[in-house]
Amino acid sequence: MPVKLEVPNWIGELEGNSGKGAGNGNPATERPHLSHATNYSYPVYVYGYNWLESNAVSAQKMDKRIDTILSECKKQDPSCEKVLLVTHSMGGLVARAYTNTSMQKVLGVVHGVMPSTGAPVFYKRMRAGFSGESRSNILVRLLSLLFTGHSDPEAALLGADATHTSAVIASAPGALELTPWGNYNNGKPWLRVADTATGEQFSIGGDAIYGDVYANTTAWYGMLPLWAEEVDAKGNNTRYDPAGLVKKANPGKSLGEVFKAQIKKIKGFQQDHAQSYPTPRAVF
């Protein structure tokens, strides 16, 4: 049942900041609506997932977490039968993968900054790394420098350049599912390629992006070019498989073949979820 609460100080805080997110002609949330929200109180639970795994795998594991949450809530309120999923960024893909299978335990979903059709910056990260774009304050930078030897914490974690970044995320299905999908930009070209030496230039997008860019390990503009000069003394490709783990796990296959098979799975996930958004079950 709704619980009446005193109007807390966050009302004024939200009023002062709500206009910042009121883009595209949407009005800022007004005080009556904010006050109305204080009539309700919900327990909040967190689900942590492994972002390296496919979001589909994370969705399967989330089902057990939801069962545990509902079991705990029913001890206080027997009518508790469903959950509200509140997501952020990549977590939105986990929720979509979950609700694409079943909505039986979900009352509704609230998405925040979800890469609903992928993010073009992923291609940039694979080709340039994460260095030089951190917004961390000086204290965080100093701590990062102390513990990692790199003043940019994002770069220290995910790779300062293409070689180090690819070694982290090129074998991570969850991360690769963030690549722009075939329906990104409504299927229109979004990646413009230009060779300043030859003058060659063209644009790519739609489903062609999977074969022409993502799985193309020989083209200079490919997302993961596997160049001969990037092979170390042990015969390992320093960009994709510096420790030789991918090669060891896939005997008899080239790294190019392994990555192409990975991209095929990524394409399948993206196409399966391209139009999957939960259908509202209730009106508030």
Side-chain angles (χ1 to χ4, degrees), residues 7-274:
V7 178
N9 292 332
W10 56 263
I11 289 287
E13 184 70 20
L14 286 179
E15 281 186 322
N17 289 281
S18 61
K20 296 180 180 179
N24 301 321
N26 296 318
T29 305
E30 298 178 351
R31 176 173 282 267
H33 297 100
L34 294 173
S35 298
H36 180 70
T38 65
N39 291 322
Y40 303 90
S41 177
Y42 300 94
V44 177
Y45 296 83
V46 175
Y47 168 64
Y49 61 94
N50 183 352
W51 64 273
L52 298 173
E53 292 182 321
S54 170
N55 290 290
V57 174
S58 297
Q60 293 173 356
K61 294 181 178 180
M62 186 171 69
D63 188 54
K64 295 182 179 179
R65 175 63 173 151
I66 290 177
D67 283 341
T68 300
I69 290 171
L70 291 176
S71 178
E72 292 179 3
C73 288
K74 284 182 179 180
K75 293 177 182 178
Q76 300 183 31
D77 184 352
S79 67
C80 182
E81 297 180 348
K82 296 187 178 184
V83 298
L84 289 169
L85 299 179
V86 181
T87 77
H88 176 263
S89 191
M90 184 177 175
L93 300 185
V94 177
R96 279 172 65 186
Y98 182 76
T99 54
N100 191 36
T101 302
S102 175
M103 281 285 291
Q104 293 181 351
K105 305 172 188 176
V106 180
L107 182 64
V109 184
V110 179
H111 290 301
V113 294
M114 174 180 58
S116 55
T117 55
V121 72
F122 189 93
Y123 173 84
K124 177 184 177 183
R125 301 303 190 200
M126 288 282 281
R127 293 308 308 263
F130 284 78
S131 186
E133 298 184 32
S134 174
R135 296 182 180 180
S136 302
N137 60 45
I138 186 64
L139 177 59
V140 173
R141 285 177 171 273
L142 287 174
L143 290 173
S144 177
L145 181 63
L146 177 63
F147 289 103
T148 70
H150 202 295
S151 62
D152 188 329
E154 286 83 356
L157 176 65
L158 297 170
D161 53 33
T163 299
H164 291 87
T165 297
S166 297
V168 175
I169 63 179
S171 296
L176 289 170
E177 285 163 4
L178 296 176
T179 55
W181 299 16
N183 65 336
Y184 179 82
N185 194 30
N186 294 318
K188 300 176 182 178
W190 58 268
L191 178 63
R192 181 172 176 269
V193 177
D195 187 336
T196 56
T198 64
E200 177 188 16
Q201 56 180 301
F202 52 91
S203 298
I204 309 173
D207 286 342
I209 200 75
Y210 295 105
D212 292 349
V213 177
Y214 299 165
N216 194 340
T217 59
T218 58
W220 62 267
Y221 52 82
M223 187 169 69
L224 184 72
L226 301 179
W227 295 320
E229 58 267 29
E230 293 185 328
V231 175
D232 62 19
K234 296 181 180 179
N236 298 326
N237 184 280
T238 57
R239 180 188 294 258
Y240 182 24
D241 189 25
L245 298 178
V246 177
K247 183 168 58 176
K248 183 178 180 181
N250 298 274
K253 296 182 179 180
S254 69
L255 293 182
E257 291 173 331
V258 174
F259 190 66
K260 287 179 181 179
Q262 183 75 279
I263 293 300
K264 184 177 181 180
K265 293 179 181 178
I266 300 306
K267 180 180 179 180
F269 172 87
Q270 293 178 343
Q271 291 183 331
D272 287 344
H273 298 85

